[in-house]
């Protein structure tokens, strides 16, 4: 997820002044990284967690990142 966020330029913007476009790119990059991680389960069978578990981890990661950004804007 970190690599995909770097490709989308998520860490280049200042968190306090993030726009709605930054949040959209954050969601999009996490969604694409979810599909990459989910696709690697066919290449690396020991990492086979299933669709539901992989989706839950990706959603919680995105929620945590957005919550940190919102809290940083409030403080």
């Amino acid at each position: 997820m970190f690599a995909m966020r770097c490709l989308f330029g998520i860490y280049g913007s200042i968190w306090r002044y993030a726009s709605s476009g930054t949040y959209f790119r954050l969601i999009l990059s996490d969604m694409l990284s979810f599909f990459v991680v989910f696709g690697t389960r066919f290449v690396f069978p020991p990492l086979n967690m299933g669709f539901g578990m992989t989706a839950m981890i990706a959603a919680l990661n995105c929620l945590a990142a957005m919550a940190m950004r919102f809290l940083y804007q409030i403080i």
Side-chain angles (χ1 to χ4, degrees):
M1 283 196 173
F2 178 73
M4 194 66 72
R5 287 180 182 177
C6 287
L7 285 174
F8 276 82
I10 300 298
Y11 297 115
S13 64
I14 300 172
W15 282 31
R16 183 177 282 282
Y17 305 109
S19 64
S20 59
T22 304
Y23 293 117
F24 180 73
R25 285 195 328 261
L26 176 67
I27 292 170
L28 185 64
S29 68
D30 283 0
M31 191 169 59
L32 288 175
S33 64
F34 158 73
F35 287 118
V36 168
V37 169
F38 186 68
T40 58
R41 73 185 189 110
F42 300 110
V43 178
F44 302 107
L47 298 177
N48 189 0
M49 292 187 295
F51 181 81
M53 182 63 83
T54 308
M56 184 179 67
I57 291 171
L60 287 174
N61 190 2
C62 185
L63 178 67
M66 291 181 73
M68 284 188 287
R69 284 186 176 224
F70 284 135
L71 286 174
Y72 187 77
Q73 287 179 350
I74 292 171
I75 298 173

